[in-house]
Amino acid sequence: MYKKVKQYALNKGFSVEEKNGLIYGRMNGFFFSILQDPTTPAKHTVHLWVKESQMTAIPAIADFLNQCTAKHQYLQSASYSGTKVTAEFQGIGFKWSKLYTPCLDAFLQEFTLYCRNNGLVSCCEVCGAEPGLNLYQIGDTEHMLCSSCYSNTSDSLQREAAEASKKGSGNIVGGIVGALLGSVLGVVVWVLIYQLGYISGIAGLVMVICALKGYELLGGHISKAGVIISCIISIIMVIVAEQVCVGIEIFNAYKDYYEISFFDAFRSVPEFLEEPELRAAVIGDVVIGYLLMVVGAWGTIRQAYKSTSGTTKTRMVASVTSAAAREDN
């Protein structure tokens, strides 16, 4: 969990489940949740569950959210389904580390005040019921539901997960081709960053994400075998990317003295690697690249593997109605 958002939540007295990347609490009388993206520190999804009671909200909820999106710098999108608000935050640019958490807080303050001033009420996101509400985590998403809707929703998602797991590994040959094609983009990113004198975890992350997506597109769907195959291909492509980088270095060093093409330089890489000093430098780059890939892509790999388990994790997080009653007392 991003440490500044965690500290913000603790300072405000909100509940923090660091292991699950989840924050929840109540602001201006309205319950909300904040979910940490597993792969990007400054990326969070905020949920609130509200509906109109006797009053008609002015401006309309969707219109007010559009105003918030235009106003708050790191609010990328905000939508309303009729009972549930979903707001996506992501820190971008160079100054986000200082302004990200204040932006998150400003949106929560502004929207919950809007809800209070317009007489909105908390509700079950499926049926709109107001009493007996609990916050549940089903899969990787939070839901505010009454007990009846929770039972039905959970059973439906479990059936969908079981049906998906029965599909097997899909078209493995097509998936391998897709993963190879997808990982090429990661190679391009790796080479471009290398030309700037850096080795970055973002290149490994892009390689893994594109390999997984490529496998899914040409293989039919992602499976456990698909996740493993995509990771193996990404590991191999790191070596390919490093060889391309060395080939570019050789080409740049000799092009002014010999008639040499990049492909000639690339084919000569194994011969140059016989030099102990160059070999040690390349091995060091690859090892660092693998470490950064693990750091950058571990969350993505874990999420992809969990999605193939054939089951959907469900649990009750907190009793919303009883918490509201305690606050009123």
Side-chain angles (χ1 to χ4, degrees):
M1 183 176 290
Y2 181 46
K3 60 181 181 181
K4 290 189 177 181
V5 173
K6 175 187 173 183
Q7 191 59 52
Y8 158 74
L10 293 174
N11 291 342
K12 290 285 188 176
F14 303 142
S15 297
V16 176
E17 294 185 1
E18 187 164 8
K19 181 180 178 181
N20 296 308
L22 181 64
I23 294 167
Y24 56 91
R26 195 177 295 273
M27 184 176 288
N28 294 317
F30 290 89
F31 202 90
F32 69 90
S33 70
I34 303 174
L35 183 65
Q36 169 75 56
D37 185 275
T39 63
T40 307
K43 188 174 182 180
H44 298 81
T45 301
V46 176
H47 285 133
L48 298 101
W49 298 264
V50 293
K51 68 173 185 177
E52 294 177 340
S53 55
Q54 303 300 320
M55 299 171 57
T56 298
I58 301 175
I61 299 173
D63 292 337
F64 186 79
L65 289 172
N66 288 335
Q67 294 175 16
C68 289
T69 303
K71 179 178 180 180
H72 297 291
Q73 182 177 6
Y74 302 116
L75 177 56
Q76 302 300 307
S77 65
S79 60
Y80 180 58
S81 68
T83 54
K84 184 177 184 178
V85 172
T86 301
E88 301 285 350
F89 283 82
Q90 183 168 5
I92 54 177
F94 297 101
K95 298 181 179 180
W96 66 263
S97 61
K98 292 183 178 180
L99 303 176
Y100 183 76
T101 300
C103 177
L104 189 65
D105 178 62
F107 168 76
L108 283 171
Q109 292 281 2
E110 187 171 349
F111 185 74
T112 52
L113 282 173
Y114 163 84
C115 292
R116 188 173 70 183
N117 294 337
N118 282 275
L120 272 62
V121 294
S122 298
C123 65
C124 170
E125 69 178 71
V126 175
C127 69
E130 298 174 32
L133 302 177
N134 297 311
L135 178 66
Y136 297 94
Q137 195 168 43
I138 304 176
D140 299 316
T141 307
E142 297 73 57
H143 303 270
M144 186 182 290
L145 302 166
C146 61
S147 58
S148 176
C149 289
Y150 166 70
S151 178
N152 294 334
T153 302
S154 178
D155 291 344
S156 175
L157 289 174
Q158 292 290 0
R159 286 194 299 271
E160 290 176 6
E163 289 173 3
S165 68
K166 291 178 182 178
K167 295 180 181 178
S169 300
N171 182 353
I172 293 181
V173 175
I176 292 174
V177 173
L180 284 169
L181 293 175
S183 64
V184 169
L185 180 58
V187 171
V188 172
V189 174
W190 182 287
V191 172
L192 291 175
I193 293 175
Y194 190 92
Q195 299 311 301
L196 299 175
Y198 300 99
I199 300 175
S200 172
I202 189 65
L205 175 60
V206 170
M207 199 174 295
V208 170
I209 290 175
C210 292
L212 289 168
K213 193 62 179 178
Y215 188 100
E216 183 177 6
L217 289 174
L218 298 188
H221 70 279
I222 196 69
S223 61
K224 290 182 179 179
V227 174
I228 295 171
I229 289 170
S230 298
C231 290
I232 292 173
I233 288 174
S234 298
I235 290 171
I236 294 172
M237 294 302 276
V238 166
I239 298 175
V240 174
E242 182 67 17
Q243 286 184 308
V244 171
C245 293
V246 174
I248 292 173
E249 294 292 326
I250 294 171
F251 174 72
N252 290 333
Y254 287 92
K255 66 180 180 179
D256 294 333
Y257 305 100
Y258 302 97
E259 292 186 4
I260 182 176
S261 68
F262 167 74
F263 296 102
D264 295 329
F266 184 77
R267 285 196 295 268
S268 70
V269 169
E271 297 177 24
F272 277 86
L273 290 181
E274 293 177 4
E275 292 291 331
E277 185 175 345
L278 179 59
R279 184 169 63 248
V282 170
I283 291 173
D285 285 349
V286 171
V287 170
I288 293 172
Y290 283 145
L291 291 175
L292 292 175
M293 174 186 278
V294 170
V295 173
W298 173 246
T300 299
I301 296 170
R302 183 180 61 182
Q303 290 298 111
Y305 196 82
K306 283 170 61 179
S307 69
T308 67
S309 64
T311 59
T312 300
K313 181 182 177 181
T314 62
R315 69 186 182 99
M316 190 184 89
V317 178
S319 175
V320 176
T321 306
S322 62
R326 286 196 299 270
E327 283 194 0
D328 292 340
N329 292 333

